[in-house]
Amino acid sequence: MNQNKQNPPISPMLSEKLANLCANIKGLRLQSGLTQRELSERLSIPLSLLEEAERGILSDGFTSTYLVSISSFFHIPIDRLFVKFLEA
């Protein structure tokens, strides 16, 4: 019996929203003039997770707690992070 579990495919709409999130995180950081290291330290987000997120990779370790931190730090509602409003 094959016990290899694969993640279900992501819908195009969800994929777009996740791409927007990643681009907005990078764009907000760049607008603020912070390095990845500075932002990761200020928000207590592991640098590796922030680097991956900015490259469009969201691992299981990227939790909703980090979304709340990013939203609070940049004074932007969480749902706005999923709408394309910045170019990275």
Side-chain angles (χ1 to χ4, degrees):
M1 179 189 286
N2 186 357
Q3 302 254 338
N4 185 12
K5 294 182 181 180
Q6 293 183 350
N7 292 330
I10 296 176
S11 73
M13 184 193 313
L14 179 57
S15 181
E16 179 183 344
K17 293 198 178 290
L18 293 176
N20 292 342
L21 171 65
C22 294
N24 288 335
I25 290 170
K26 183 175 184 178
L28 288 165
R29 179 186 61 77
L30 292 173
Q31 263 190 354
S32 69
L34 296 171
T35 66
Q36 288 177 330
R37 181 173 304 282
E38 289 169 334
L39 185 59
S40 74
E41 289 173 356
R42 288 188 187 190
L43 300 181
S44 299
I45 296 174
L47 179 58
S48 61
L49 288 181
L50 183 60
E51 290 169 337
E52 287 177 349
E54 288 193 6
R55 288 194 317 267
I57 303 165
L58 293 175
S59 67
D60 290 341
F62 197 90
T63 65
S64 60
T65 301
Y66 297 140
L67 285 177
V68 171
S69 296
I70 292 166
S71 172
S72 296
F73 183 81
F74 291 111
H75 307 287
I76 293 176
I78 289 175
D79 62 328
R80 181 88 167 114
L81 292 172
F82 293 91
V83 177
K84 187 173 186 174
F85 67 94
L86 288 173
E87 292 295 325

